[in-house]
Amino acid sequence: MLLKLVSLTTDFGLKDPYVGQLKAALLTVCPDVVIVDVTHEIEKYNVAMGGIILASTVRFFPEGSIHVGVVDPGVGGPRRPIIMETERSMFVGPDNGLLAMAAEQEGIKHVFEITEKRYMRREVSRTFHGRDVFAPVAGHLANGVNPRSVGKEVKDYTPLRIPRPTVERGLMEAQVLYVDSFGNVVTNVKKTDLEEAGLNVNDEVKIEVKSKVVKASVKEAYCEAERGKPVLLLGSQGFVEIALREGNAATLLKLSSGEKLWVKLKGRS
Amino acid sequence: MLLKLVSLTTDFGLKDPYVGQLKAALLTVCPDVVIVDVTHEIEKYNVAMGGIILASTVRFFPEGSIHVGVVDPGVGGPRRPIIMETERSMFVGPDNGLLAMAAEQEGIKHVFEITEKRYMRREVSRTFHGRDVFAPVAGHLANGVNPRSVGKEVKDYTPLRIPRPTVERGLMEAQVLYVDSFGNVVTNVKKTDLEEAGLNVNDEVKIEVKSKVVKASVKEAYCEAERGKPVLLLGSQGFVEIALREGNAATLLKLSSGEKLWVKLKGRS
Amino acid sequence: MLLKLVSLTTDFGLKDPYVGQLKAALLTVCPDVVIVDVTHEIEKYNVAMGGIILASTVRFFPEGSIHVGVVDPGVGGPRRPIIMETERSMFVGPDNGLLAMAAEQEGIKHVFEITEKRYMRREVSRTFHGRDVFAPVAGHLANGVNPRSVGKEVKDYTPLRIPRPTVERGLMEAQVLYVDSFGNVVTNVKKTDLEEAGLNVNDEVKIEVKSKVVKASVKEAYCEAERGKPVLLLGSQGFVEIALREGNAATLLKLSSGEKLWVKLKGRS
């Protein structure tokens, strides 16, 4: 059996009927599609969160899957609707960086701007391309339509732009990318930043946020954490996370997406 | 391939196992059904919200779809279980108005009261007709059973009753129908009410709620809103919504379903 | 058509991509599987809640279904991954009691410890056996693989351990097992405990919690409750629930999972 598998990653939430409408549009084009929800709880308009989560997930899908991503604050504006064809999948969504990290991981072969109206819904709203453009296009791709016939090849695409931390010896000014459902705070700090700051496993640090300062440790695994004391560790997508064993680090630190924090090596002023 | 598509719109939420039980009952009758969740986060017992959301969504489904709606505060009482057959779909659920607006939109052909026990689960509880009546009936309809054989045709049905606003020149007393996940406040005011009140695009108004008064503007599109100042605009189902650009109007105004608000044209006492 | 039906009951939530990854792993092994979500909102690590909800739900699924349960605080430790084969289903998950009540209900035929690496994902993480072990094993079982070939039969399994209340005449010290989405408080009190305490339908009682005392009645059905006054009644899985008609008993009593409460017959000191 040839599996026509389409995954969905959006910020629509599950209260409103938007996910249902998108699926209806997809099934209208491709009645035998199998749809898998990755998540619809990406924080609204948080393209970085969507892009990182998509990149952490696509490798578990079989080859030939089609991944639709819709976190699309620029819908109706000049941002292009695109298909990214990789060595093992196709990605459909806005050209705002959302699909880039996942596609780069798999090896990008071609990028197409979606232009052909015959592969969209008859009426295309200005506010909901997930339903009116991306879902029907994904359905046609699942039906075997060549991505080349859906638009024109383009030579560039928007990378996932993640703000860089400011790093010096023993000190980092970082930013929260998102908070996961366990309250783990995913930051924009990468392994190389830790090295540049001279932070090593088992180092003691202070985390400063707007209103408080908290002691923490650099650890390699979650289970090495002391109860009640936050840890910094490298998450699966290569970003440093702040976690609290059997607790909620984001609540403790009152941190949410976009906010700043400072990590200081103990002893540094 | 003939698609046996059943959509679900309920107020069950996703924490309890009710949606899973309903799907299990449906798949027991029709193993090759394709199920699409419209939403299970209709506010509990808010029939108006369910009815409006269903009406806004069914047009995206292919012809021949079967729509199950369960927002059913009267379950176990005298309200009838019904099938509404329209020009392009079938609707299954309680006769409390939930299905009416969507079915009317498509053109109602026949309404049947569900009476035949052989199309229900063997045991029918008094509290969960979604699982015990509506899901199995939808499964049989998907299998090609004629709705006529599931019950008896009836000549009436309950319309969706939405409280009417009180309108005079420059003043409306309105009510909140529901709040969507963006915090947009959907009211019971329709286009004709705006006209009767003499409110036009770009008019400045005051919105009064229990504890505060807020300035707002009448606009045609969300993107015309000034940041921080609410707008009144006509939503996709023909009801006026109060929205706040990149903000949550319901939180600002402390409004939730069923509450009253007053809209006054600027200058009117 | 032979239905390959796999149900999922987990504490993953729907914000993170874990459910999507599990489904991707399952579809990789068994492309024509039909997946039904029972719920992913089991309270994190609340094995009792997961076990009770699973037991209340599996009877609605067709014979031959495969039920995957993952509430797995001991993942990566010594707890065994198991398959429980019953008279009508198979259960796949950790051997921590989660599957036990549901499987016992159906009549257990065999229990197998999952040992064969060829039925797991190539890389098995230490933290996510849902995706790396249970989903692929369920996929192979759905494909017709004999459970006997997936591991070795074992003669014991972990029962669902639910703390017992302390009961004397007219007095019970009970514990909250979980709170459902209506705010009903499910306790560890069973029918026999009520009898031992000498509590009968229509008895008046006091419920004591940490910070308050509230009057309540023992009732047989939810609809017999007076508005504003909690009732104790026997829920569908045989546990006494505290409910508040058209209200939220858990909020009123400030109770959540694991907390203690005392039920005293009126007149008892």
Side-chain angles (χ1 to χ4, degrees), chain C residues 212-226:
Chain C
K212 69 200 302 187
V213 182
V214 173
K215 289 181 190 178
S217 313
V218 182
K219 291 289 177 191
E220 256 182 333
Y222 187 64
C223 58
E224 298 166 6
E226 290 170 51

Side-chain angles (χ1 to χ4, degrees), chain C residues 80 82-84 94-101 103-105 107-108 110-112 154-161:
Chain C
R80 302 177 300 188
I82 56 169
I83 300 167
M84 301 184 91
D95 180 29
N96 62 5
L98 177 66
L99 314 173
M101 187 186 284
E104 287 165 2
Q105 240 175 221
I108 297 171
H110 304 284
V111 181
F112 303 96
V154 291
K155 288 299 169 200
D156 63 318
Y157 65 90
T158 306
L160 184 58
R161 287 197 191 90

